[in-house]
Amino acid sequence: MLDAGLPVRAFFTDRRGGHSAAPYDTLNVALHVDDDPDAVAHNRVVVSEAAGALVTFLEADHGITVARIDEPTPRPPKADVLLTTTPGIALAAIAADCVPLLLNDPQTGAVAAVHSGREGLYRGVVDSAIAAMLDLRPSGAGAAGIRAAIGPAICGACYEVPENLRARVGRRHPVAVASTSWGTPSLDIPRAIETRLTELGVGPVLRHRHCTFEDTRWFSHRRDARTGRHAGVIVCEGPVGVSVPAPEDAAT
Ligand SMILES: [Zn+2]
């Protein structure tokens, strides 16, 4: 597991430490990928133990829907953002190439787990998540001090897409336009998310630059097709008072 680097308990799981057999080996947390449901349940317990709280796992809708979670549930509403201000609630976004994004506002105590792939980014899921976080702050407050951690995801050098798709996403997110290491059109979704967060005034933003396609410690749908999902997990610990981010905390 990879520490997310946020002020609250938050981490990204990898493939290790679970109970699933190949091709879901071993810590697959997704129920929708045809893995043995008992193994997935067992794996989710492993993740909840690491979180120190019962984790609610997001079921992505590939849109911009935000669901507020006030108590743990095995069947949350379909949404791309799970958000809570209730201390002790743990939320997880699951992915295998898409981006798991974790947010924490130390001022309000709010935490969010966001699933953002190409479509979510295009449709505005980052804006949607930050709008929901800002809604909890006093009216007119900016996003400074909201902390973000961008988890392992397929990188711009690997995520090949058709030229027309690159152009479509690039019209809204110019920094998403990229090329693969073999010279074909691609999209850099983590870079676009980082840029959008910064444009919205969020900071510091930490980007964990592990590429799921290249690094077999993580699941990759593009690499393996039939595979599991890892998780970005964040635990609500309540407000910690005024947050003044120090310049040396800023990361790229
Ligand atoms: Zn890569």
Side-chain angles (χ1 to χ4, degrees):
M1 294 188 190
L2 174 69
D3 187 88
L6 295 174
V8 293
R9 183 182 289 266
F11 56 89
F12 299 99
T13 66
D14 55 42
R15 299 183 70 141
R16 298 167 295 186
H19 302 271
S20 294
Y24 308 105
D25 47 314
T26 59
L27 191 58
N28 165 45
V29 297
L31 287 163
H32 67 281
V33 293
D34 283 335
D35 190 4
D36 170 12
D38 290 339
V40 177
H42 207 155
N43 292 341
R44 288 184 166 198
V45 169
V46 169
V47 177
S48 289
E49 282 173 354
L54 191 58
V55 175
T56 296
F57 290 86
L58 177 150
E59 293 189 27
D61 198 29
H62 302 280
I64 61 168
T65 310
V66 179
R68 183 102 180 233
I69 303 294
D70 294 318
E71 54 187 47
T73 169
R75 285 273 164 213
K78 276 206 159 210
D80 305 280
V81 181
L82 297 184
L83 180 143
T84 192
T85 52
T86 306
I89 295 291
L91 305 174
I94 69 177
D97 292 338
C98 286
V99 179
L101 168 66
L102 301 176
L103 301 169
N104 169 231
D105 185 351
Q107 204 179 95
T108 63
V111 300
V114 183
H115 171 275
S116 179
R118 182 191 70 234
E119 273 313 295
L121 172 74
Y122 182 77
R123 292 171 66 181
V125 73
V126 175
D127 292 53
S128 178
I130 299 306
M133 302 285 281
L134 282 177
D135 213 28
L136 299 165
R137 284 187 161 188
S139 175
I146 295 178
R147 289 164 173 255
I150 298 169
I154 192 167
C155 81
C158 295
Y159 185 38
E160 183 177 55
V161 294
E163 174 59 52
N164 61 345
L165 196 50
R166 180 173 75 169
R168 175 173 171 265
V169 175
R171 278 193 290 277
R172 282 192 188 170
H173 299 278
V175 300
V177 172
S179 298
T180 59
S181 55
W182 54 97
T184 57
S186 74
L187 286 167
D188 192 331
I189 304 297
R191 182 168 69 189
I193 289 174
E194 179 182 35
T195 299
R196 188 61 193 143
L197 287 166
T198 305
E199 285 170 355
L200 290 169
V202 173
V205 177
L206 280 168
R207 182 168 151 201
H208 297 277
R209 292 171 179 268
H210 305 275
C211 172
T212 49
F213 185 80
E214 294 171 75
D215 189 334
T216 54
R217 282 180 297 172
W218 279 279
F219 295 106
S220 171
H221 182 259
R222 180 60 73 96
R223 183 185 61 229
D224 297 326
R226 203 161 152 251
T227 191
R229 300 289 184 274
H230 41 258
V233 181
I234 189 162
V235 184
C236 183
E237 296 177 2
V240 296
V242 181
S243 160
V244 183
E248 62 266 26
D249 285 353
T252 55

